[in-house]
Amino acid sequence: MASGRTTTGASERGEGFLALPLMLFYLLFFIAPLLLLFAVSLHADKDMAAWGLAQYAKALSDGFGLGVLFDTLRLGVETTLLCLLLGFPLAWLHRNAGPRWQGVIILVTVLPLLTSVIVRTFAWIVILGRQGIVNTLLLELGLTETPLRLLYTHGGLVIALAQVQLPLMVLPLIDALQKLDPNLESASAALGAGRWRSFFRIVLPLSLPGIIAGSVLTFSAAVTAFITQSLVGGGQQLYMPMYIYQQALTLQNWPFAATISVIFMVAVLFCIALFNLLGRYTRRYSAM
Amino acid sequence: MAVGRRQDLDSISFHAAMGILSAAAVLLITAPTAIVLIVSFTDGYSLKFPPPGYSVRWYVALADAWQIQDAAWNSLQAAVLSTLVSILFTVPAAFAVARSKSAAARKLESLFMSPLVLPALAFGLSALMYFSLIGIPLSLTTVVIGHVVVCAPYVFRTTLASLSQLDPSLLECSASLGASRIYTYRRVVLPLIGGGIMAGGFIAFMSSFDNVPVSLFLSDARNEMLPIRMWQTMENTLDVRVAAVSGVLILFSLALMLLMERFAGLSRRMR
């Protein structure tokens, strides 16, 4: 017993250094660049000759830029909600399936996660394009005379993003639902609660940690999905990643690009904190 | 009787809703990939679905597409290097964090995971500014450094998960039987967490190969990456060769995934 304690104690002291290489790497190539980004954003002019908050004043008073930020966050929330609506039943199906089907469901879920985002985005161009499946079908059924414009719309983009990010929602949900005691549902049924009631009063509240984890991942992936946003959203719809890209590389306005990047990051982190807070609040509520 | 019918209705409507929504989810997940595969075998010049006829002409056309081939080679190099560097840096760090209960270890854990939730494009831009400030020209090396930052969390997560399932008494057994710490790691710990490292390495490899937001800023014209090449091709003309490249990528990742499922139990470790 005594020797066991000393082994753990010694190994803890001896093993801390193992984290050093990665820590240094992150300090040098992750933290330092982000600090630099912040420093660049604090310059008043494009040539970075003077310090000042002029870029922030410009970004925060600019209705256009704030609109882009709001659209991007809304896009993330909408995608997350759609993923939750479709992903929860799938995770629920996984929970109630036999071991063989469980494996199949996991593989089906993981498959798109490991297929290139470019490929999956490309698929949506094929589906939603003027000669795409949806338009071909609508034309043949005589439901429309001319091809509809589905690509380059906000709704089309939400659906495409939901497809791209769905696995990020489903995997934490599967994890959360598996930890749920099946006796709770039986007890709820035995006490006379219907399926829906048991679902909303027991299954849903108790899987909240999974919902929050999945939502955070889905949201943060959806708002920064540059490729899908620019190809399915098209030129008419501008979202933060493309806005930052244009300011940085096309207009070469580094201080302003840095400023809107910082604002974007803070906004995303704020939303994630809000998700977590909401989770904590509802958990307390459902426990009452 | 009335109660029974109401329960039936309740149960039927619940199962119908769950069934329809999960069927929609499965369709949404699988259909796009299947459609790309089918369209890639078209014999026409457009991405019309269903294709007017079938051929492998666009796959044959890839043999002459040297720009795409170069980009694919660059991406492959970057992905292999990023994965190896990620594993090399991350596995020891996961050891340190997993075996410690201190608050500092929890702080480190969230630091190492934070690139997953931070907008990658903002990091890409900041890395570009950083490299140009300290005077490092863009090259494959800068791409790999950027990719390691965003890919290491995947390796970290799966390694940490398999370490937490490791029974500490095994280590004590090995030590009390006279094995040195290095020997214990090599013969007891590594075999037990190898699957977790492999699964994380695989996810890191795929996400590096597929990365756009970081490559966009850190790769230069000489080191064009495949996803960026494909993106630019798709923005300008809807070249059917993109469908053929997609077909190759789908089959490539499917094969790799089945291999990983067989040897590393991938599906168990993705959660």
Side-chain angles (χ1 to χ4, degrees):
Chain A
M1 196 61 209
S3 79
R5 203 179 303 135
T6 39
T7 326
T8 3
S11 61
E12 223 173 78
R13 238 175 297 127
E15 278 169 359
F17 78 93
L18 288 173
L20 268 181
L22 189 62
M23 211 171 80
L24 284 179
F25 190 91
Y26 267 47
L27 272 180
L28 214 57
F29 297 118
F30 180 57
I31 311 265
L34 288 180
L35 289 177
L36 178 73
L37 183 80
F38 187 58
V40 170
S41 76
L42 294 176
H43 283 87
D45 57 328
K46 197 176 162 183
D47 304 317
M48 293 195 268
W51 295 82
L53 291 169
Q55 304 294 342
Y56 284 91
K58 186 177 148 200
L60 293 173
S61 62
D62 173 20
F64 174 75
L66 288 178
V68 173
L69 178 65
F70 178 74
D71 281 348
T72 312
L73 299 178
R74 187 171 63 117
L75 182 71
V77 171
E78 285 168 352
T79 306
T80 307
L81 288 178
L82 185 60
C83 282
L84 190 62
L85 180 71
L86 293 172
F88 206 98
L90 191 62
W92 186 84
L93 195 71
H94 172 273
R95 176 164 181 255
N96 294 297
R100 206 183 166 76
W101 281 104
Q102 286 194 333
V104 172
I105 292 174
I106 296 260
L107 278 186
V108 164
T109 313
V110 169
L111 178 69
L113 197 60
L114 300 174
T115 331
S116 166
V117 170
I118 296 269
V119 172
R120 285 184 281 154
T121 302
F122 176 64
W124 286 101
I125 295 176
V126 178
I127 294 170
L128 299 175
R130 289 183 74 84
Q131 292 199 311
I133 299 164
V134 179
N135 269 324
T136 310
L137 210 67
L138 289 178
L139 285 171
E140 267 173 23
L141 292 174
L143 290 174
T144 170
E145 298 277 302
T146 49
L148 296 179
R149 205 181 60 120
L150 302 166
L151 212 56
Y152 313 137
T153 61
H154 186 81
L157 179 57
V158 171
I159 295 175
L161 274 175
Q163 194 266 335
V164 174
Q165 322 296 0
L166 196 56
L168 297 177
M169 177 63 91
V170 176
L171 292 173
L173 284 179
I174 284 179
D175 200 34
L177 282 180
Q178 273 200 326
K179 286 179 185 146
L180 198 69
D181 186 351
N183 290 328
L184 285 173
E185 266 175 297
S186 321
S188 168
L191 291 171
R195 282 285 190 170
W196 285 107
R197 198 175 150 87
S198 301
F199 180 76
F200 282 112
R201 298 301 295 265
I202 303 212
V203 179
L204 210 57
L206 285 175
S207 47
L208 216 59
I211 295 178
I212 298 297
S215 298
V216 166
L217 287 176
T218 314
F219 176 82
S220 45
V223 291
T224 184
F226 178 76
I227 287 289
T228 317
Q229 288 172 3
S230 79
L231 286 176
V232 181
Q236 288 97 331
Q237 320 231 358
L238 189 63
Y239 299 99
M240 281 313 275
M242 185 47 120
Y243 189 37
I244 293 172
Y245 175 77
Q246 284 175 349
Q247 293 294 329
L249 291 191
T250 316
L251 301 176
Q252 295 281 332
N253 191 347
W254 279 19
F256 190 66
T259 303
I260 54 178
S261 299
V262 171
I263 293 175
F264 182 41
M265 272 193 282
V266 170
V268 169
L269 292 178
F270 177 74
C271 287
I272 291 174
L274 216 61
F275 274 128
N276 285 322
L277 202 71
L278 203 70
R280 215 167 300 155
Y281 175 75
T282 24
R283 202 168 330 168
R284 202 177 305 142
Y285 173 77
S286 64
M288 284 198 318
Chain B
M1 197 61 204
V3 174
R5 199 172 301 141
R6 206 174 62 211
Q7 270 181 357
D8 281 352
L9 196 69
D10 178 78
S11 174
I12 289 170
S13 67
F14 179 76
H15 283 107
M18 284 299 185
I20 290 170
L21 285 174
S22 46
V26 170
L27 189 74
L28 188 70
I29 288 178
T30 51
T33 314
I35 288 165
V36 170
L37 265 183
I38 295 169
V39 165
S40 71
F41 288 103
T42 184
D43 68 354
Y45 284 91
S46 73
L47 298 166
K48 194 171 161 42
F49 186 93
Y54 294 93
S55 80
V56 290
R57 61 183 292 185
W58 298 108
Y59 285 89
V60 175
L62 286 186
D64 298 324
W66 59 269
Q67 280 182 311
I68 293 177
Q69 287 173 14
D70 281 356
W73 174 237
N74 287 335
S75 281
L76 193 66
Q77 280 178 298
V80 168
L81 287 172
S82 312
T83 308
L84 290 179
V85 175
S86 294
I87 290 177
L88 213 64
F89 277 102
T90 305
V91 173
F95 266 109
V97 170
R99 306 257 282 138
S100 166
K101 290 180 180 62
S102 64
R106 299 286 80 81
K107 286 249 161 59
L108 271 185
E109 190 180 334
S110 43
L111 166 68
F112 294 154
M113 295 300 286
S114 59
L116 281 187
V117 290
L118 223 56
L121 194 104
F123 164 70
L125 173 65
S126 62
L128 169 68
M129 291 173 176
Y130 183 67
F131 284 130
S132 70
L133 180 87
I134 59 178
I136 297 179
L138 296 182
S139 66
L140 196 65
T141 314
T142 54
V143 175
V144 170
I145 290 175
H147 282 195
V148 169
V149 170
V150 291
C151 295
Y154 297 110
V155 187
F156 186 73
R157 190 168 57 182
T158 54
T159 310
L160 205 61
S162 48
L163 274 171
S164 70
Q165 282 160 8
L166 191 75
D167 187 352
S169 61
L170 284 175
L171 304 187
E172 284 171 30
C173 274
S174 177
S176 65
L177 288 171
S180 71
R181 210 195 290 175
I182 307 249
Y183 187 84
T184 306
Y185 280 146
R186 205 156 51 84
R187 300 302 298 268
V188 180
V189 178
L190 271 185
L192 284 172
I193 64 164
I197 299 173
M198 258 170 82
F202 173 58
I203 303 167
F205 175 86
M206 296 308 277
S207 73
S208 162
F209 193 80
D210 199 33
N211 183 289
V212 170
V214 175
S215 303
L216 203 56
F217 293 102
L218 295 186
S219 65
D220 59 342
R222 279 174 300 112
N223 293 293
E224 203 176 29
M225 299 286 137
L226 184 62
I228 306 226
R229 173 90 238 156
M230 287 172 77
W231 169 58
Q232 282 167 349
T233 314
M234 277 191 254
E235 273 222 317
N236 300 328
T237 56
L238 271 180
D239 192 335
V240 188
R241 282 183 306 178
V242 173
V245 180
S246 302
V248 173
L249 290 181
I250 290 170
L251 296 179
F252 175 67
S253 48
L254 197 65
L256 220 57
M257 188 168 111
L258 291 176
L259 218 67
M260 281 293 153
E261 178 63 23
R262 178 86 183 68
F263 291 109
L266 186 69
S267 58
R268 276 182 290 119
R269 299 181 193 282
M270 294 292 292
R271 279 176 264 144

